[in-house]
Every structure is written in structure tokens, then in C-alpha cells.
Amino acid sequence: MANMTSAMSALHVPHLTPLETTPRHFRHRQTPTGIRTIDTWIPGPGDRALFASLHLPSDGAVRGAVVICPPLAKEHISAYRGLRQLAQELAEHGFLALRFDYAGQGDSSGRQDDPLAVSQWQASVAAAVAYARRAGIESVAVTGLRAGALIAAATVDTLGDLRAMVLWDPVISGRSYVRELTSLYRVSVDDDPHHDDCTSIVGGVLDSAAVKDLSGLDLSTLDPGSSTKVLAAIRPEFAASPRTVRMLERSGAERMFVERQNQFVSPSSFVLSVPTHDIKQISSWVSRQFGEDKTVVDPEITSAAHVATADDGEEVWETLERRSTGSLFAISTASRTTTSHAATAVFHSTANEHRIGPARLWVESARTLAAHGIRSVRFDRMGTGDSGTVLTDENTPIVSPEARRNVLDLIDTLDVPPSRRMHVGMCSGAWMGAYVASQRGARSVVLLNIVNWSINNRRPPVKKAHVDAMESDVANRIFLVARTIRNAGRRAQRYVPYPLWLGLGFLGLVNAPESMLRTLTRRGTKTAVSLAPEDEAWFEANRGRQGVTRLSRSKNPPHVLFSGSGDHNLFHRSSRERVGRLIVASALDAFGDRRLAVSKHDKEGLGA
């Protein structure tokens, strides 16, 4: 394999050139309620491109705009669907609702470890408000969830007159929030062994200068002015805290209680819940602060943007797309000279994660691959991120047969033969990547912390987390009985003759790693597997090492790597860095550096 460390250094994000505005057309999905959803890039601070989604009535006539400021890191991933539902509700009340990612966060350009990150986040809020006003909207409100409320409040002096502001489950003290983030990382992940100027948090990494700036923010000093109506949607258990009381008194905010916030923004498992009742209350309050007069808006829509620059000056661009019969939201990443037929890496996310992957790893990996001339596509499977309608009180869906069909349809839309496709995924996303490769073929797959080793899976994928989300005593008792039977079977599996065990794996009745690995090997797919310690234990328990030993004699043996440290979710920074190098090295091993091939041709002939 190519040198992995040098491969990751081929990309940097300086101050970027402005967005390229495509012809004025709406890239949108019509919903049954007559709401139009538009995906676009908007200009952010320092010419950085910010990813945004607009939700507005189909006729374009709006009563005002509401800019929605998201939380940070893991809380943003957990709350993503709920914020989409809030935007849809606001659009039904006649507003243009604007969701966006801060610079260096989510899909937006920039680095998450930028020392000036906090000022970039604040400038991103101002840029989003300015974008709404340029569309022809005078009356604007701002809604911030968790850290989004703190960031919006710190920006209020730069936003001009606001009709209203909603502080939803707000972070009041930046200093306390930083302590909470770092403590949670140490308890749930591990100590950070790095000796640099960055601090790891669950779902990301911040420069020490940004940590200091974030610690200095304090919502209790908010003074939005007499013309701005303020709503504090807070948890009942925080109502009497001194910080909350000071914030309410200083801002003159109305108070509303919200429930189920833990399961919404910081769930204990991969199953989260969208608090539809609270969302309706918030959108109704916002609606009451505006008049009924409407203005027809004409927002500027940009489907492609410059998001990074390689060391040699080559521009990296990203295009917003809707693919497959399920209208899955996707983002295609490529260098300026890369053609649509180039070798392509497809990134599959897991659980409730949307297309950014664990702690933004898919975004950063895609932009690094683009610097080597390899195109990437990252997408939201049905029921996650921006794919599919958000349901009332939605819980994280289990990967369904429909999701499998949608992904196969998406792969069929790529104008690339199997020999130039690569799939990357973690956990259930790894399984989906292996499944697609088994059905459509692929040059390479990278399977990260995979736990389901049966492509032909016939076992119901019900987890304890799903049962807990049902809040049903009957469902819980049934699950406990089924788990007892399952555990007894696991204890007995070591006595099953290996040929029989492997056969049951091919039938989808047990978790035999060789069944999946042999299927991929037979198809000629280069397979790299990386397992954290807990996933290695599961692999061993299912006799995976025996299978790998048997496959080592084949012409195309899989490469299984045991990290020896780290965590399943790739929250640990060292784990992400190691996996990032593996992704790039696997791509270069499969396809080579496509930029070298491009340089042999006339770039003008490629449409550069």
C-alpha cells in the first residue's frame, strides 16, 4: 500500500474562492404538505461555502424567515432529524426556514480544528441571516438548539433587527459546557493521548484557542433589545438553576418547558427520538410573533461549491444531488479536473448518522481522496439525514429492505463500472457496503468495526435500544426471553463443526465472518477490515480468525487489522486518524493516484 501518512497530508483548507453559482434552478423535493425543500450552498465567512437547506411554501410566498442554528458535534447528529422537522413545521406556518452547518462543521468547508472556529461559527450565523435577507425577507427570527442558542446569542449584536429568538434547551455557560464535553469524552471514550493544541470531544475535535473562546461565551448576559421577542424552551429540571434564572431575567424571555431532551440530543444508545410535540409548540410560538403579510422570495441556489484546495493548487468541489428512486440526498466530491467516470468511493453511514460519518470522517476523507483524483459520494440512507420525511415522534429506523433497494438504485446511478468502485462503511454501514459489493461488485471495500457478518441476513435486527425506545413492558419481556435463547445458542456455537457453522453463515442464520469475506473474495473485491477491541472480541467469538486463516490461501485474501485500542463508534481521535489513513491507503492501493494519470492528458480536454 502507498504511504498512508503522506496520503493524508495532500489537502488543506485555506481561505477559499467564492462559490460558483449554477443556473437558477431549484434542486428540491416536493412533500405531500406542499412544502418545498431546497439544497444549496451559501457564502460563509472568508468565502467558505456553507451547506444549507431551505424549507418554504411551494408558491414561494413567505411571512418571514427563521434561521436555525444547530448544536455541535455529536448533538448535531442526534438532533438532525428533529431540526428538519422544525423547519418543515415552520414552512407549513408560511416561513422560509433555513438550516445550515457552521464553517468547519457538518458538510460546510473549513477545518473543525480551526483556532478561530468560534468566531467562524458566529460569522456563519450572520452569513445565514444575511442570505435570508438577500432573498427579499425583512422579518427574520433565529432559533438555536443547545450550543446553537449560545452561539446565536453571542452573535445577536451583528444580526440587525430580529423579530424573535428561540433558545431551545440552551447551553447557558460556555465554560460549563466545555467541562461537560471533555468529561463526557474521558468517561465514554478515553483519555486523549495527543500532545498538541487540540481537545477531543465526543463527535469532533477543537483547537485549544477555540476551547478558550467557547468557554468565554455566556448566555446569561444576553440582551437582545426590546424589539426582539425571546422564548426560552427549557427542561423543567433546569428551571430553578441560578444561571437559568439570570438568563430569563436578563433577556425578558417567555418560558416554555420541553421534555425528552436527553433522548433527542444526547441519547444513551444509537436510538434517538424526535420530540414532535415540543417542535410544534416552538413553531406555533414563532408563528404568533409575525404578521400575515407575505412576500414572494427568490433565493439564490447554488448546487456546486469549491470546498478545499490541494497542496498543488487543485480545487476540490462538491455537488449536491438527489439520487435513486428514493430521492436519497447525496454529495459528490471531486477535484476540478476529475471526470464523472473517475474511480469512485461510496461512503455508507450507520445508525442515526447522516452523510458526514463519525465525527466528520467521511467529509474529510472524501476531500482528501479528491486531492488524489478519486471521486467520492456520501449519502443519507432512507430515514436518516435529509432522505425521507421526518415522522411524528420518529425513532431511529432499522435498516429495511427498502433502504437496501434504495442504495442499490443509488449505485446504479453512478456512471462507473464495478472495477472502479470502492465502498467504505462503519458498523451497519460496513454491512451495507459489503452487501452492495456482493450484489453489484466492487474493486475494494473497507469494513470498519463491522458486527453483522452475514450478507444473507435472516435474523431480525432488533436491539435492546429499540426495545427500550418502545417503552413497552410486553416488548421488553419478549426480548429478554429471546435474548436468553440467543445467549444459550452462542455458548453452544463453539461445539458446532466449522463446515456446518460456515454453511449456516451463508444461509444467514449465524454470524460467520468467513461467509461474508469469502463472498467478497470470490467476486475479486479487495477487502480491508479494521476492528476496535470490542469488535475484535465479537469477531473471535464467531470464529473469524479461523475463517481468515482459511482464506489466507486464496488469490485475494482479506486484510483484517486489529487496532488494539479505540472504540466502536470512532469517537476516539486516534481511531479516526488510523482509519482515515486506512481509507486513503486502500483507495490508492485499489486505484492508484488518479491525478498522476490525469496529468498525462490535456486538462482542457477534460473540461477543466
Side-chain angles (χ1 to χ4, degrees), residues 450-501:
I450 186 170
V451 294
N452 184 357
W453 290 97
S454 175
I455 287 179
N456 188 24
N457 185 22
R458 298 183 184 276
R459 293 166 291 110
V462 178
K463 305 291 186 182
K464 184 64 166 63
H466 288 113
V467 176
D468 291 342
M470 296 178 192
E471 299 180 350
S472 167
D473 290 338
V474 174
N476 189 57
R477 285 196 293 270
I478 293 173
F479 178 81
L480 292 177
V481 171
R483 185 172 64 180
T484 300
I485 296 172
R486 180 200 64 188
N487 290 343
R490 286 179 179 174
R491 288 191 293 271
Q493 70 186 30
R494 70 172 70 99
Y495 303 109
V496 177
Y498 189 80
L500 176 58
W501 175 257

Short mmCIF file of all heavy atoms in Angstrom, two decimals, residues 450-501:
data_model
loop_
_atom_site.label_atom_id
_atom_site.label_comp_id
_atom_site.label_asym_id
_atom_site.label_seq_id
_atom_site.Cartn_x
_atom_site.Cartn_y
_atom_site.Cartn_z
N ILE A 450 -17.26 -3.73 11.93
CA ILE A 450 -18.46 -4.43 11.50
C ILE A 450 -18.83 -5.51 12.51
O ILE A 450 -17.95 -6.16 13.09
CB ILE A 450 -18.26 -5.03 10.09
CG1 ILE A 450 -19.55 -5.64 9.56
CG2 ILE A 450 -17.10 -6.02 10.05
CD1 ILE A 450 -19.48 -6.02 8.09
N VAL A 451 -20.12 -5.69 12.76
CA VAL A 451 -20.58 -6.69 13.72
C VAL A 451 -21.52 -7.72 13.09
O VAL A 451 -21.72 -8.80 13.64
CB VAL A 451 -21.27 -6.03 14.94
CG1 VAL A 451 -20.28 -5.21 15.74
CG2 VAL A 451 -22.44 -5.16 14.50
N ASN A 452 -22.13 -7.38 11.98
CA ASN A 452 -23.02 -8.32 11.28
C ASN A 452 -22.26 -8.89 10.10
O ASN A 452 -22.00 -8.21 9.11
CB ASN A 452 -24.29 -7.61 10.81
CG ASN A 452 -25.28 -8.57 10.17
OD1 ASN A 452 -25.01 -9.76 10.02
ND2 ASN A 452 -26.43 -8.05 9.79
N TRP A 453 -21.92 -10.18 10.18
CA TRP A 453 -21.06 -10.80 9.19
C TRP A 453 -21.82 -11.66 8.19
O TRP A 453 -21.21 -12.41 7.43
CB TRP A 453 -19.99 -11.65 9.88
CG TRP A 453 -18.97 -10.85 10.61
CD1 TRP A 453 -18.95 -10.54 11.94
CD2 TRP A 453 -17.82 -10.22 10.04
NE1 TRP A 453 -17.86 -9.77 12.23
CE2 TRP A 453 -17.13 -9.57 11.08
CE3 TRP A 453 -17.29 -10.17 8.75
CZ2 TRP A 453 -15.95 -8.86 10.89
CZ3 TRP A 453 -16.11 -9.47 8.55
CH2 TRP A 453 -15.45 -8.82 9.61
N SER A 454 -23.12 -11.56 8.18
CA SER A 454 -23.91 -12.37 7.25
C SER A 454 -24.54 -11.49 6.19
O SER A 454 -25.39 -10.65 6.50
CB SER A 454 -24.99 -13.15 8.02
OG SER A 454 -25.82 -13.84 7.12
N ILE A 455 -24.13 -11.67 4.93
CA ILE A 455 -24.73 -10.88 3.85
C ILE A 455 -26.19 -11.29 3.66
O ILE A 455 -27.07 -10.45 3.47
CB ILE A 455 -23.93 -11.06 2.55
CG1 ILE A 455 -22.60 -10.30 2.66
CG2 ILE A 455 -24.72 -10.57 1.34
CD1 ILE A 455 -21.70 -10.42 1.46
N ASN A 456 -26.44 -12.58 3.73
CA ASN A 456 -27.81 -13.08 3.55
C ASN A 456 -28.47 -13.17 4.92
O ASN A 456 -28.83 -14.24 5.40
CB ASN A 456 -27.77 -14.46 2.88
CG ASN A 456 -29.14 -14.95 2.49
OD1 ASN A 456 -30.06 -14.16 2.29
ND2 ASN A 456 -29.30 -16.26 2.38
N ASN A 457 -28.64 -12.00 5.56
CA ASN A 457 -29.07 -11.97 6.96
C ASN A 457 -30.55 -12.33 7.11
O ASN A 457 -31.42 -11.67 6.54
CB ASN A 457 -28.81 -10.57 7.53
CG ASN A 457 -29.12 -10.50 9.01
OD1 ASN A 457 -29.12 -11.51 9.70
ND2 ASN A 457 -29.37 -9.31 9.50
N ARG A 458 -30.84 -13.37 7.89
CA ARG A 458 -32.23 -13.78 8.13
C ARG A 458 -32.62 -13.60 9.60
O ARG A 458 -33.69 -14.02 10.01
CB ARG A 458 -32.42 -15.25 7.73
CG ARG A 458 -32.17 -15.51 6.25
CD ARG A 458 -32.45 -16.95 5.88
NE ARG A 458 -32.11 -17.21 4.49
CZ ARG A 458 -32.94 -16.96 3.46
NH1 ARG A 458 -34.13 -16.45 3.69
NH2 ARG A 458 -32.57 -17.23 2.23
N ARG A 459 -31.73 -13.00 10.38
CA ARG A 459 -32.04 -12.80 11.80
C ARG A 459 -32.62 -11.41 11.99
O ARG A 459 -32.09 -10.43 11.47
CB ARG A 459 -30.76 -12.95 12.64
CG ARG A 459 -30.21 -14.37 12.64
CD ARG A 459 -28.79 -14.45 13.18
NE ARG A 459 -27.84 -13.82 12.27
CZ ARG A 459 -27.20 -12.69 12.51
NH1 ARG A 459 -27.40 -12.05 13.64
NH2 ARG A 459 -26.36 -12.19 11.64
N PRO A 460 -33.73 -11.27 12.74
CA PRO A 460 -34.33 -9.95 12.95
C PRO A 460 -33.36 -9.03 13.68
O PRO A 460 -32.86 -9.39 14.75
CB PRO A 460 -35.58 -10.24 13.80
CG PRO A 460 -35.31 -11.57 14.43
CD PRO A 460 -34.46 -12.34 13.46
N PRO A 461 -33.06 -7.83 13.14
CA PRO A 461 -32.05 -6.94 13.73
C PRO A 461 -32.61 -6.08 14.85
O PRO A 461 -32.52 -4.86 14.82
CB PRO A 461 -31.64 -6.09 12.53
CG PRO A 461 -32.89 -5.98 11.72
CD PRO A 461 -33.60 -7.30 11.89
N VAL A 462 -33.23 -6.70 15.85
CA VAL A 462 -33.81 -5.96 16.97
C VAL A 462 -32.78 -5.88 18.08
O VAL A 462 -32.27 -6.89 18.55
CB VAL A 462 -35.10 -6.62 17.47
CG1 VAL A 462 -35.65 -5.85 18.67
CG2 VAL A 462 -36.14 -6.67 16.35
N LYS A 463 -32.47 -4.67 18.52
CA LYS A 463 -31.51 -4.44 19.59
C LYS A 463 -32.25 -3.99 20.85
O LYS A 463 -33.38 -3.51 20.80
CB LYS A 463 -30.50 -3.36 19.17
CG LYS A 463 -29.78 -3.65 17.87
CD LYS A 463 -28.84 -4.82 18.00
CE LYS A 463 -28.02 -5.00 16.72
NZ LYS A 463 -27.11 -6.15 16.79
N LYS A 464 -31.58 -4.12 21.98
CA LYS A 464 -32.17 -3.70 23.25
C LYS A 464 -32.53 -2.22 23.20
O LYS A 464 -33.55 -1.80 23.76
CB LYS A 464 -31.18 -3.95 24.39
CG LYS A 464 -31.74 -3.62 25.79
CD LYS A 464 -32.91 -4.53 26.14
CE LYS A 464 -33.27 -4.48 27.62
NZ LYS A 464 -33.72 -3.15 28.05
N ALA A 465 -31.74 -1.43 22.50
CA ALA A 465 -32.02 0.00 22.40
C ALA A 465 -33.37 0.26 21.74
O ALA A 465 -34.11 1.15 22.13
CB ALA A 465 -30.90 0.70 21.62
N HIS A 466 -33.71 -0.53 20.71
CA HIS A 466 -35.01 -0.37 20.06
C HIS A 466 -36.14 -0.74 21.00
O HIS A 466 -37.19 -0.09 21.04
CB HIS A 466 -35.07 -1.23 18.80
CG HIS A 466 -34.22 -0.73 17.68
ND1 HIS A 466 -33.12 -1.41 17.22
CD2 HIS A 466 -34.30 0.41 16.94
CE1 HIS A 466 -32.58 -0.73 16.23
NE2 HIS A 466 -33.26 0.37 16.05
N VAL A 467 -35.95 -1.82 21.77
CA VAL A 467 -36.98 -2.24 22.71
C VAL A 467 -37.19 -1.18 23.78
O VAL A 467 -38.32 -0.86 24.16
CB VAL A 467 -36.61 -3.60 23.35
CG1 VAL A 467 -37.63 -4.01 24.40
CG2 VAL A 467 -36.51 -4.67 22.27
N ASP A 468 -36.10 -0.62 24.29
CA ASP A 468 -36.21 0.44 25.29
C ASP A 468 -36.99 1.63 24.74
O ASP A 468 -37.77 2.27 25.46
CB ASP A 468 -34.82 0.90 25.74
CG ASP A 468 -34.09 -0.17 26.56
OD1 ASP A 468 -34.78 -1.08 27.07
OD2 ASP A 468 -32.86 -0.08 26.67
N ALA A 469 -36.76 1.95 23.46
CA ALA A 469 -37.45 3.08 22.85
C ALA A 469 -38.96 2.84 22.74
O ALA A 469 -39.74 3.79 22.72
CB ALA A 469 -36.87 3.36 21.46
N MET A 470 -39.39 1.56 22.70
CA MET A 470 -40.82 1.25 22.63
C MET A 470 -41.54 1.57 23.93
O MET A 470 -42.76 1.78 23.95
CB MET A 470 -41.01 -0.24 22.31
CG MET A 470 -40.51 -0.66 20.95
SD MET A 470 -40.75 -2.44 20.71
CE MET A 470 -39.78 -2.71 19.24
N GLU A 471 -40.79 1.57 25.06
CA GLU A 471 -41.38 1.83 26.38
C GLU A 471 -42.56 0.90 26.64
O GLU A 471 -43.62 1.31 27.09
CB GLU A 471 -41.79 3.30 26.50
CG GLU A 471 -40.63 4.27 26.36
CD GLU A 471 -41.03 5.72 26.49
OE1 GLU A 471 -42.26 5.98 26.51
OE2 GLU A 471 -40.15 6.58 26.57
N SER A 472 -42.36 -0.40 26.33
CA SER A 472 -43.41 -1.41 26.48
C SER A 472 -42.89 -2.55 27.35
O SER A 472 -41.88 -3.18 27.03
CB SER A 472 -43.83 -1.94 25.11
OG SER A 472 -44.61 -3.11 25.24
N ASP A 473 -43.60 -2.86 28.45
CA ASP A 473 -43.22 -3.97 29.32
C ASP A 473 -43.33 -5.30 28.58
O ASP A 473 -42.51 -6.20 28.77
CB ASP A 473 -44.09 -3.99 30.58
CG ASP A 473 -43.80 -2.83 31.51
OD1 ASP A 473 -42.69 -2.27 31.41
OD2 ASP A 473 -44.68 -2.47 32.31
N VAL A 474 -44.36 -5.44 27.74
CA VAL A 474 -44.55 -6.68 27.00
C VAL A 474 -43.39 -6.91 26.03
O VAL A 474 -42.80 -8.00 25.97
CB VAL A 474 -45.89 -6.65 26.23
CG1 VAL A 474 -46.01 -7.88 25.33
CG2 VAL A 474 -47.06 -6.59 27.20
N ALA A 475 -43.03 -5.87 25.28
CA ALA A 475 -41.91 -5.99 24.34
C ALA A 475 -40.62 -6.31 25.07
O ALA A 475 -39.79 -7.10 24.61
CB ALA A 475 -41.76 -4.70 23.53
N ASN A 476 -40.43 -5.70 26.24
CA ASN A 476 -39.21 -5.94 27.00
C ASN A 476 -39.13 -7.39 27.48
O ASN A 476 -38.07 -8.02 27.42
CB ASN A 476 -39.14 -4.99 28.19
CG ASN A 476 -37.79 -5.03 28.88
OD1 ASN A 476 -36.76 -4.80 28.29
ND2 ASN A 476 -37.81 -5.34 30.17
N ARG A 477 -40.27 -7.96 27.95
CA ARG A 477 -40.26 -9.35 28.42
C ARG A 477 -40.00 -10.31 27.26
O ARG A 477 -39.25 -11.29 27.41
CB ARG A 477 -41.61 -9.67 29.09
CG ARG A 477 -41.76 -9.06 30.48
CD ARG A 477 -42.89 -9.71 31.24
NE ARG A 477 -44.19 -9.39 30.63
CZ ARG A 477 -44.93 -8.35 30.97
NH1 ARG A 477 -44.51 -7.50 31.90
NH2 ARG A 477 -46.09 -8.13 30.38
N ILE A 478 -40.61 -10.05 26.11
CA ILE A 478 -40.36 -10.90 24.94
C ILE A 478 -38.89 -10.85 24.55
O ILE A 478 -38.27 -11.88 24.24
CB ILE A 478 -41.26 -10.46 23.76
CG1 ILE A 478 -42.73 -10.72 24.09
CG2 ILE A 478 -40.86 -11.18 22.48
CD1 ILE A 478 -43.69 -10.16 23.07
N PHE A 479 -38.32 -9.65 24.58
CA PHE A 479 -36.91 -9.51 24.21
C PHE A 479 -36.02 -10.27 25.19
O PHE A 479 -35.05 -10.92 24.77
CB PHE A 479 -36.52 -8.04 24.20
CG PHE A 479 -35.06 -7.82 23.88
CD1 PHE A 479 -34.61 -7.85 22.57
CD2 PHE A 479 -34.14 -7.60 24.89
CE1 PHE A 479 -33.27 -7.65 22.27
CE2 PHE A 479 -32.79 -7.41 24.60
CZ PHE A 479 -32.36 -7.44 23.29
N LEU A 480 -36.30 -10.21 26.48
CA LEU A 480 -35.48 -10.89 27.47
C LEU A 480 -35.50 -12.41 27.25
O LEU A 480 -34.47 -13.08 27.39
CB LEU A 480 -35.94 -10.53 28.87
CG LEU A 480 -35.70 -9.08 29.31
CD1 LEU A 480 -36.29 -8.83 30.69
CD2 LEU A 480 -34.22 -8.75 29.29
N VAL A 481 -36.67 -12.96 26.92
CA VAL A 481 -36.77 -14.39 26.64
C VAL A 481 -35.95 -14.73 25.39
O VAL A 481 -35.18 -15.70 25.38
CB VAL A 481 -38.24 -14.81 26.46
CG1 VAL A 481 -38.33 -16.25 25.97
CG2 VAL A 481 -39.00 -14.67 27.78
N ALA A 482 -36.12 -13.91 24.33
CA ALA A 482 -35.39 -14.17 23.09
C ALA A 482 -33.89 -14.05 23.31
O ALA A 482 -33.10 -14.83 22.76
CB ALA A 482 -35.85 -13.18 22.01
N ARG A 483 -33.47 -13.10 24.14
CA ARG A 483 -32.05 -12.93 24.39
C ARG A 483 -31.48 -14.12 25.16
O ARG A 483 -30.34 -14.54 24.91
CB ARG A 483 -31.79 -11.63 25.16
CG ARG A 483 -30.31 -11.32 25.34
CD ARG A 483 -30.09 -9.95 25.93
NE ARG A 483 -30.64 -9.84 27.28
CZ ARG A 483 -30.57 -8.72 28.02
NH1 ARG A 483 -30.00 -7.65 27.51
NH2 ARG A 483 -31.09 -8.68 29.22
N THR A 484 -32.26 -14.67 26.09
CA THR A 484 -31.81 -15.85 26.83
C THR A 484 -31.57 -17.03 25.90
O THR A 484 -30.56 -17.74 25.99
CB THR A 484 -32.84 -16.23 27.91
OG1 THR A 484 -33.00 -15.13 28.82
CG2 THR A 484 -32.39 -17.46 28.68
N ILE A 485 -32.51 -17.21 24.96
CA ILE A 485 -32.36 -18.30 23.98
C ILE A 485 -31.14 -18.05 23.10
O ILE A 485 -30.35 -18.95 22.83
CB ILE A 485 -33.64 -18.41 23.13
CG1 ILE A 485 -34.82 -18.81 24.02
CG2 ILE A 485 -33.45 -19.43 22.00
CD1 ILE A 485 -36.16 -18.75 23.32
N ARG A 486 -30.98 -16.79 22.67
CA ARG A 486 -29.84 -16.45 21.81
C ARG A 486 -28.52 -16.69 22.53
O ARG A 486 -27.57 -17.24 21.96
CB ARG A 486 -29.95 -14.98 21.40
CG ARG A 486 -28.82 -14.50 20.50
CD ARG A 486 -28.71 -12.99 20.53
NE ARG A 486 -28.35 -12.51 21.86
CZ ARG A 486 -28.33 -11.22 22.21
NH1 ARG A 486 -28.69 -10.30 21.33
NH2 ARG A 486 -27.98 -10.86 23.43
N ASN A 487 -28.42 -16.27 23.79
CA ASN A 487 -27.17 -16.43 24.53
C ASN A 487 -26.82 -17.90 24.74
O ASN A 487 -25.65 -18.29 24.72
CB ASN A 487 -27.25 -15.71 25.87
CG ASN A 487 -27.26 -14.20 25.70
OD1 ASN A 487 -26.90 -13.69 24.63
ND2 ASN A 487 -27.65 -13.48 26.73
N ALA A 488 -27.87 -18.73 24.94
CA ALA A 488 -27.61 -20.16 25.07
C ALA A 488 -27.04 -20.72 23.77
O ALA A 488 -26.13 -21.56 23.78
CB ALA A 488 -28.90 -20.88 25.45
N GLY A 489 -27.57 -20.24 22.67
CA GLY A 489 -27.05 -20.67 21.37
C GLY A 489 -25.61 -20.24 21.16
O GLY A 489 -24.80 -20.98 20.60
N ARG A 490 -25.27 -19.02 21.63
CA ARG A 490 -23.90 -18.56 21.48
C ARG A 490 -22.92 -19.41 22.29
O ARG A 490 -21.80 -19.67 21.84
CB ARG A 490 -23.81 -17.09 21.92
CG ARG A 490 -24.42 -16.11 20.93
CD ARG A 490 -24.32 -14.69 21.43
NE ARG A 490 -24.88 -13.74 20.46
CZ ARG A 490 -25.03 -12.44 20.68
NH1 ARG A 490 -24.66 -11.93 21.85
NH2 ARG A 490 -25.54 -11.66 19.75
N ARG A 491 -23.35 -19.83 23.46
CA ARG A 491 -22.47 -20.66 24.28
C ARG A 491 -22.23 -22.02 23.63
O ARG A 491 -21.18 -22.63 23.79
CB ARG A 491 -23.06 -20.84 25.68
CG ARG A 491 -22.98 -19.58 26.54
CD ARG A 491 -23.33 -19.88 27.98
NE ARG A 491 -24.73 -20.25 28.13
CZ ARG A 491 -25.72 -19.39 28.34
NH1 ARG A 491 -25.46 -18.09 28.42
NH2 ARG A 491 -26.96 -19.80 28.47
N ALA A 492 -23.23 -22.48 22.86
CA ALA A 492 -23.12 -23.81 22.24
C ALA A 492 -22.42 -23.78 20.89
O ALA A 492 -22.01 -24.82 20.38
CB ALA A 492 -24.51 -24.42 22.08
N GLN A 493 -22.23 -22.57 20.31
CA GLN A 493 -21.76 -22.50 18.94
C GLN A 493 -20.34 -23.02 18.77
O GLN A 493 -19.96 -23.49 17.70
CB GLN A 493 -21.84 -21.06 18.44
CG GLN A 493 -20.86 -20.09 19.05
CD GLN A 493 -21.12 -18.66 18.58
OE1 GLN A 493 -22.27 -18.27 18.29
NE2 GLN A 493 -20.08 -17.87 18.50
N ARG A 494 -19.53 -22.97 19.84
CA ARG A 494 -18.16 -23.44 19.72
C ARG A 494 -18.08 -24.95 19.45
O ARG A 494 -17.05 -25.45 19.00
CB ARG A 494 -17.37 -23.09 20.98
CG ARG A 494 -17.77 -23.87 22.21
CD ARG A 494 -16.82 -23.59 23.37
NE ARG A 494 -16.99 -22.24 23.87
CZ ARG A 494 -17.71 -21.95 24.95
NH1 ARG A 494 -18.31 -22.91 25.62
NH2 ARG A 494 -17.84 -20.72 25.37
N TYR A 495 -19.17 -25.65 19.74
CA TYR A 495 -19.17 -27.10 19.55
C TYR A 495 -19.69 -27.51 18.17
O TYR A 495 -19.68 -28.67 17.82
CB TYR A 495 -20.03 -27.78 20.63
CG TYR A 495 -19.57 -27.44 22.03
CD1 TYR A 495 -20.32 -26.61 22.86
CD2 TYR A 495 -18.36 -27.93 22.52
CE1 TYR A 495 -19.90 -26.28 24.13
CE2 TYR A 495 -17.92 -27.60 23.80
CZ TYR A 495 -18.69 -26.78 24.60
OH TYR A 495 -18.27 -26.45 25.86
N VAL A 496 -20.18 -26.53 17.39
CA VAL A 496 -20.69 -26.82 16.06
C VAL A 496 -19.50 -27.03 15.12
O VAL A 496 -18.58 -26.20 15.07
CB VAL A 496 -21.57 -25.66 15.54
CG1 VAL A 496 -22.05 -25.94 14.12
CG2 VAL A 496 -22.75 -25.44 16.48
N PRO A 497 -19.46 -28.12 14.36
CA PRO A 497 -18.36 -28.32 13.39
C PRO A 497 -18.25 -27.13 12.45
O PRO A 497 -19.27 -26.61 11.98
CB PRO A 497 -18.78 -29.59 12.64
CG PRO A 497 -19.68 -30.30 13.60
CD PRO A 497 -20.42 -29.24 14.35
N TYR A 498 -17.02 -26.71 12.17
CA TYR A 498 -16.84 -25.47 11.42
C TYR A 498 -17.52 -25.49 10.05
O TYR A 498 -18.15 -24.49 9.66
CB TYR A 498 -15.37 -25.13 11.26
CG TYR A 498 -15.18 -23.75 10.68
CD1 TYR A 498 -15.28 -22.62 11.50
CD2 TYR A 498 -14.97 -23.56 9.32
CE1 TYR A 498 -15.16 -21.34 10.97
CE2 TYR A 498 -14.84 -22.28 8.78
CZ TYR A 498 -14.93 -21.19 9.61
OH TYR A 498 -14.83 -19.93 9.09
N PRO A 499 -17.45 -26.59 9.28
CA PRO A 499 -18.15 -26.58 7.98
C PRO A 499 -19.64 -26.31 8.14
O PRO A 499 -20.24 -25.60 7.32
CB PRO A 499 -17.88 -27.98 7.42
CG PRO A 499 -16.58 -28.38 8.06
CD PRO A 499 -16.64 -27.82 9.44
N LEU A 500 -20.26 -26.88 9.19
CA LEU A 500 -21.68 -26.62 9.43
C LEU A 500 -21.88 -25.16 9.82
O LEU A 500 -22.83 -24.51 9.37
CB LEU A 500 -22.20 -27.55 10.51
CG LEU A 500 -23.67 -27.33 10.95
CD1 LEU A 500 -24.61 -27.46 9.75
CD2 LEU A 500 -24.04 -28.30 12.06
N TRP A 501 -20.99 -24.63 10.66
CA TRP A 501 -21.06 -23.23 11.09
C TRP A 501 -20.99 -22.29 9.88
O TRP A 501 -21.78 -21.36 9.76
CB TRP A 501 -19.92 -22.96 12.06
CG TRP A 501 -19.77 -21.53 12.50
CD1 TRP A 501 -18.84 -20.63 12.06
CD2 TRP A 501 -20.59 -20.83 13.44
NE1 TRP A 501 -19.01 -19.42 12.68
CE2 TRP A 501 -20.07 -19.51 13.54
CE3 TRP A 501 -21.68 -21.19 14.21
CZ2 TRP A 501 -20.63 -18.57 14.38
CZ3 TRP A 501 -22.23 -20.23 15.06
CH2 TRP A 501 -21.71 -18.95 15.14
#
